[in-house]
Amino acid sequence: MTTAQKLSFRVLGGLILVFLLFVLFVPVVEFSDPLGTAILDHEGRLLGAATASDEQWRFGAPAEVPGKFRHALLEFEDHRFDYHPGIDLLAMARALSQDLKAGAIVSGGSTITMQVVRLSRHGRPRTIREKTVECLLALRLELSHSKDEILRLYAGYAPFGGNIVGLEAAAWRYFGRSARDLSWAEAATLAVLPNAPALIHPGRRPEALLRRRNALLNRLHQRHLLDEVALELAQAEPLPGPPRPLPRLAPHLLDRARREIPGGGIVTTTLDLETQRRLSAILARHHQTLKENSIDHLAALVAHTGSGKVLAYVGNVGRLGDQGAQVDIITAPRSSGSILKPFLFATMLSDAEILPEELVPDIPTRIGGFAPRNFDRHFSGAVPASVALSRSLNVPAVRMLRSHGIARFAGLLRSLGITTLFRPSDDYGLSLILGGAEVTLWEMTALYAGLGRTVGAFFNAPGENADFRPLRWQNSPVQAGPPSPFDAGVAFTTLEALLEVSRPGLDASWKNFASSRRVAWKTGTSYGFRDAWAIGVTPEYVVGVWAGNADGEGRPGLTGHSAAAPVLFSIFDTLPSGPFFDEPELEMRELEICAHGGLRAGQDCGETRIATVPASCLPGRICPYCRKVHLDSSGRYRVDGGCETIATMIHRSFFILPPALAAEYAQRHPDYRPLPPWRTDCRSEENEDRISCLYPDNGAEIYVPLELDGRRGRFVAEAAHADPRGTIFWHLDHHYLGRTRGEHRMSLAPEPGRHLLTLVDDDGTTLFRRFKVLRRPENAMSP
């Protein structure tokens, strides 16, 4: 190897070493400035924004630099930007010559890369030493970032006057639009601002700003980026005035974004700006009516059923200056009222515990110390399960939950994504189905959408509706929601039952109006009239509404039907309409059911019909309410083989409910026929169960407190008779108390100890109930 070759290798090795030392020890500039938060709709339109912690309108580097601003900026600041390595020797030489002539630093010859370095170092003094450091850091920045990335950093952190930092903030504050939508004149205006933002701040020195902007437009014209007409129009555009206030179309969502994305920045959501504006206007209009009854707050959510993309989000509407209006009700836990009932109905269908039209009890019920009542304070005796759901009857729901199991149902809700059920299941008790637990409008709207999505997914390609993410922040992972435990048949049957609810403010004939639409919807009202809910689902949209007071104050008339449902349908009236869900025929089966009992028809059912039910419901219980009865030739009396020959008997099928159900059922069904009486010469030894004791239960332990004056307290026993006109004779410990007819209630005042209650009717049917009255605890307080 010659001496020249050795020297060349040494020089090359030295250069490589210098390069490695340069890369290892010269840092890459980074920005640690705090960022504000801006939320955009799915098309990039601004919904709202908040400043950073240092009160600057700063949102970080944009995803891309718009073409017009790029051309204007490079022409004004650094037209060789795409070719130099971070420093422009020609520009620096020109700047040095200008500085020597002026006897001071009047031009630094900085490239855009060097300006990015200076922005990251927060305005260091413009000295030769500092300029040298900037050059080194600029070279290092060019090694680690592309030209586009460097431009994005400049656009995100350049000053644009006052507390406005970054291109997007400047475009919104000065022109009320995104930087991508700026005209040539607007882009040129913003391109010249960072060069001297304090001197030519819009509204302070318009002549200087206008002169620089038009000069830049002329240079762009000379580069053939603008033709003559475009140049003339651009130079005719007025300058911006003082910074504009930014919109506040979704303030609660903005606050949520700030909590969930503490780093800040520009956040793209799935919202639609026009839908958001309409929803805000609807809620503001209804709020004017509701606040007359001191119902101060209102919230609503609109989303696509299939994709789960939220289109509009109004976390609260309240009076100006009202602290409660700051609460984002959409994410705040509130008492559920009745809005969980469809999911109990669905899971019992799915587990083959009920059929859709199966009769469920709706009778006076006491379970321990819990005595649920329907909202209208009436009972129907027995109602089809689907009707109990559509009418939102409390008593059938409580009895169904008791049959299904509280722990099972709570586990289902947790698996569906309800995160607010943090207590043990027994703590909620049977009140879980009536509002004993707290839920959020966010999660409940997702649950109802899940029912619709389950039906919709049956007709779509696999994976089309595979996830439910009501709101997607930009760059966040898309998380799939929990798989639905219901099949399409169960979900469709549940939604179909929710079609039968009457529309508020109109009679049931609203469904026949040409302008109506088919919406599966459910209301809920919490205990004490504190929370009013309404959630509706169509194949296209799911809408959730809450009304009430953020502090939990109850108001008379604050019900889901009167306060929330009118808002729900006002929202649906502004959304495009379409057909209801198609029936998933492959998931449904035809079943012969008892026309009266709704259960699978048995051999004694006289009237039957064919019903379409979810396949998962099958086989279903055989109807136990139909009996073949033997009558004499007149058809008026019952007989048996001991008093009548078989040849002269008439055999008929009767639909007979247990006495506890029959008493209330017969009052609302005039066609209900009780069993005919036995003929006097016939005696039957069969147990007819004509009497039912509703309270107390057999073996019950009862504590009866003393009255205020010290006298023995009383409680009310309750019974039912299969014959609405039947008479019951009451006996306590073999002592006659009296008789009742129609409503069978008797006030009792027994001593502490064990007792025997005996009920006898006109035909001699007898029922016994044994119970115990507990003694007053020794440490109990005196009345």
Side-chain angles (χ1 to χ4, degrees):
M1 181 179 294
T2 64
T3 302
Q5 289 175 324
K6 291 180 180 180
L7 181 62
S8 298
F9 276 112
R10 289 176 181 174
V11 171
L12 179 60
L15 291 175
I16 293 174
L17 178 61
V18 170
F19 177 78
L20 290 175
L21 292 174
F22 178 78
V23 171
L24 290 174
F25 293 103
V26 177
V28 179
V29 296
E30 296 180 350
F31 287 87
S32 58
D33 309 70
L35 301 181
T37 303
I39 55 173
L40 312 178
D41 81 342
H42 67 106
E43 292 185 357
R45 296 171 293 188
L46 184 66
L47 297 167
T51 60
S53 58
D54 59 357
E55 301 301 322
Q56 301 292 304
W57 292 104
R58 182 193 304 111
F59 304 114
E64 60 179 354
V65 178
K68 291 179 182 177
F69 180 78
R70 189 184 198 280
H71 286 300
L73 177 66
L74 296 189
E75 182 61 33
F76 185 76
E77 290 282 1
D78 189 357
H79 60 267
R80 283 188 290 273
F81 172 76
D82 288 324
Y83 310 107
H84 62 63
I87 57 176
D88 187 342
L89 296 178
L90 292 177
M92 294 184 70
R94 184 183 66 251
L96 178 62
S97 174
Q98 293 174 351
D99 294 343
L100 291 174
K101 290 180 180 178
I105 297 178
V106 296
S107 176
S110 296
T111 62
I112 288 178
T113 309
M114 294 171 66
Q115 291 184 53
V116 170
V117 171
R118 188 183 311 127
L119 291 171
S120 72
R121 290 165 61 80
H122 300 289
R124 299 292 181 93
R126 300 179 69 177
T127 63
I128 294 177
R129 178 181 180 279
E130 185 63 28
K131 183 69 68 174
T132 303
V133 172
E134 286 179 7
C135 290
L136 290 174
L137 292 176
L139 291 171
R140 181 68 182 88
L141 182 61
E142 290 273 354
L143 287 174
S144 59
H145 287 67
S146 68
K147 292 290 186 179
D148 285 341
E149 289 172 337
I150 294 171
L151 271 182
R152 288 175 50 231
L153 288 173
Y154 179 89
Y157 292 93
F160 286 85
N163 67 340
I164 302 172
V165 178
L167 174 63
E168 282 296 328
W172 288 326
R173 293 301 310 275
Y174 293 136
F175 301 108
R177 63 176 66 89
S178 173
R180 68 181 183 184
D181 299 321
L182 295 177
S183 67
W184 276 109
E186 293 164 345
T189 301
L190 296 184
V192 303
L193 274 181
N195 186 261
L199 296 178
I200 55 175
H201 187 286
R204 294 182 184 175
R205 295 183 57 187
E207 300 84 3
L209 177 59
L210 182 64
R211 185 169 55 255
R212 291 201 177 195
R213 184 201 73 175
N214 287 348
L216 176 56
L217 290 171
N218 280 324
R219 289 162 61 181
L220 293 171
H221 168 63
Q222 293 169 5
R223 291 188 174 273
H224 306 291
L225 293 170
L226 283 82
D227 58 25
E228 290 288 348
V229 175
L231 174 64
E232 183 178 353
L233 292 174
Q235 291 183 335
E237 286 188 28
L239 292 174
R244 307 180 182 195
L246 296 184
R248 288 182 53 83
L249 291 175
H252 297 89
L253 183 60
L254 175 62
D255 289 341
R256 181 174 175 179
R258 295 174 72 184
R259 292 193 306 271
E260 296 184 6
I261 310 175
I266 299 174
V267 179
T268 300
T269 72
T270 61
L271 268 64
D272 177 74
L273 182 118
E274 296 304 325
T275 306
Q276 179 72 16
R277 282 177 174 163
R278 289 198 300 269
L279 182 63
S280 299
I282 290 169
L283 264 61
R285 185 174 70 250
H286 281 275
H287 179 255
Q288 294 299 314
T289 302
L290 292 173
K291 71 180 182 180
E292 295 176 1
N293 188 31
S294 296
I295 300 172
D296 293 333
H297 304 122
L298 195 57
L301 191 67
V302 179
H304 276 300
T305 301
S307 67
K309 293 180 179 179
V310 171
L311 300 178
Y313 185 117
V314 177
N316 205 336
V317 172
R319 295 172 296 182
L320 187 64
D322 178 10
Q323 289 296 320
Q326 307 304 314
V327 177
D328 184 357
I329 296 295
I330 287 177
T331 58
R334 310 293 302 196
S335 174
S336 65
S338 297
I339 57 174
L340 295 175
K341 289 176 182 176
F343 302 95
L344 176 61
F345 177 80
T347 192
M348 293 186 74
L349 287 179
S350 186
D351 293 345
E353 296 177 43
I354 59 170
L355 289 171
E357 298 184 50
E358 173 180 340
L359 288 182
V360 292
D362 182 24
I363 57 176
T365 299
R366 183 182 295 273
I367 303 171
F370 182 47
R373 292 288 185 269
N374 294 324
F375 189 80
D376 61 4
R377 301 292 178 178
H378 294 100
F379 302 97
S380 300
V383 292
S386 60
V387 174
L389 174 59
S390 66
R391 291 174 54 191
S392 196
L393 298 177
N394 292 336
V395 173
V398 168
R399 297 178 73 100
M400 290 167 66
L401 178 59
R402 187 187 190 190
S403 170
H404 180 74
I406 300 169
R408 286 177 64 194
F409 185 57
L412 168 77
L413 296 176
R414 294 186 183 102
S415 72
L416 288 172
I418 298 297
T419 61
T420 50
L421 299 181
F422 53 86
R423 291 185 284 155
S425 302
D426 289 343
D427 284 2
Y428 297 108
L430 293 171
S431 67
L432 173 63
I433 199 64
L434 303 183
E438 292 185 328
V439 296
T440 66
L441 184 60
W442 181 261
E443 292 178 349
M444 287 310 304
T445 304
L447 256 65
Y448 276 78
L451 289 175
R453 192 175 65 255
T454 298
V455 181
F458 180 82
F459 296 97
N460 295 324
E464 182 172 336
N465 295 317
D467 64 86
F468 186 86
R469 182 75 171 177
L471 190 66
R472 295 188 179 95
W473 303 126
Q474 188 180 35
N475 299 325
S476 70
V478 176
Q479 300 177 6
S484 173
F486 311 127
D487 59 40
V490 167
F492 175 80
T493 303
T494 303
L495 293 172
E496 193 174 39
L498 296 177
L499 280 173
E500 300 304 317
V501 185
S502 298
R503 189 170 182 171
L506 297 172
D507 58 36
S509 64
W510 72 269
K511 294 179 290 185
N512 298 323
F513 297 165
S515 60
S516 69
R517 70 174 70 201
R518 303 185 76 198
V519 178
W521 63 292
K522 182 75 183 72
T523 60
T525 305
S526 67
Y527 178 77
F529 303 101
R530 293 179 173 89
D531 304 275
W533 302 82
I535 304 178
V537 189
T538 69
E540 296 84 15
Y541 302 103
V542 57
V543 177
V545 177
W546 176 93
N549 293 309
D551 62 2
E553 178 187 1
R555 296 299 305 167
L558 176 59
T559 67
H561 199 271
S562 63
V567 184
L568 179 84
F569 282 98
S570 290
I571 296 170
F572 269 114
D573 285 344
T574 67
L575 299 173
S577 62
F580 193 63
F581 296 95
D582 293 326
E583 181 180 287
E585 296 180 357
L586 295 180
E587 302 261 353
M588 308 293 284
R589 298 291 185 272
E590 288 188 345
L591 178 68
E592 184 181 13
I593 64 171
C594 174
H596 300 292
L599 289 155
R600 188 156 59 98
Q603 62 181 3
D604 292 335
C605 291
E607 296 182 48
T608 65
R609 64 183 182 85
I610 300 299
T612 303
V613 302
S616 57
C617 292
L618 301 179
R621 293 188 300 121
I622 294 178
C623 181
Y625 304 128
C626 295
R627 293 170 52 186
K628 279 291 178 62
V629 177
H630 312 301
L631 305 176
D632 64 7
S633 58
S634 71
R636 296 171 56 193
Y637 298 100
R638 276 185 288 167
V639 294
D640 58 21
C643 61
E644 187 78 14
T645 62
I646 295 178
T648 60
M649 288 182 187
I650 299 174
H651 309 287
R652 289 182 183 170
S653 177
F654 276 76
F655 170 65
I656 301 298
L657 292 171
L661 280 62
E664 298 284 352
Y665 186 86
Q667 296 181 32
R668 288 159 179 78
H669 296 82
D671 59 339
Y672 180 76
R673 298 180 299 162
L675 285 173
W678 285 95
R679 204 169 66 188
T680 55
D681 61 330
C682 295
R683 295 181 61 84
S684 175
E685 296 181 356
E686 67 181 51
N687 179 13
E688 302 210 34
D689 294 332
R690 292 171 59 82
I691 304 175
S692 177
C693 185
L694 303 178
Y695 185 76
D697 292 334
N698 201 35
E701 294 184 346
I702 303 171
Y703 174 68
V704 184
L706 297 178
E707 302 289 349
L708 292 176
D709 58 5
R711 291 182 300 170
R712 187 183 312 126
R714 309 179 73 86
F715 74 94
V716 176
E718 190 169 1
H721 197 281
D723 184 353
R725 295 167 295 180
T727 301
I728 295 179
F729 300 90
W730 298 71
H731 304 77
L732 182 63
D733 300 326
H734 305 295
H735 295 288
Y736 177 66
L737 300 176
R739 66 179 182 177
T740 56
R741 185 181 177 89
E743 288 191 358
H744 301 286
R745 295 184 178 90
M746 183 65 66
S747 178
L748 307 180
E751 295 280 356
R754 298 185 182 278
H755 298 276
L756 175 65
L757 180 66
T758 306
L759 309 179
V760 184
D761 72 356
D762 289 319
D763 294 332
T765 304
T766 304
L767 179 70
F768 300 100
R769 281 289 182 269
R770 298 185 183 276
F771 65 95
K772 180 181 179 180
V773 175
L774 302 175
R775 293 185 180 277
R776 176 169 170 262
E778 293 182 1
N779 60 350
M781 295 180 61
S782 299

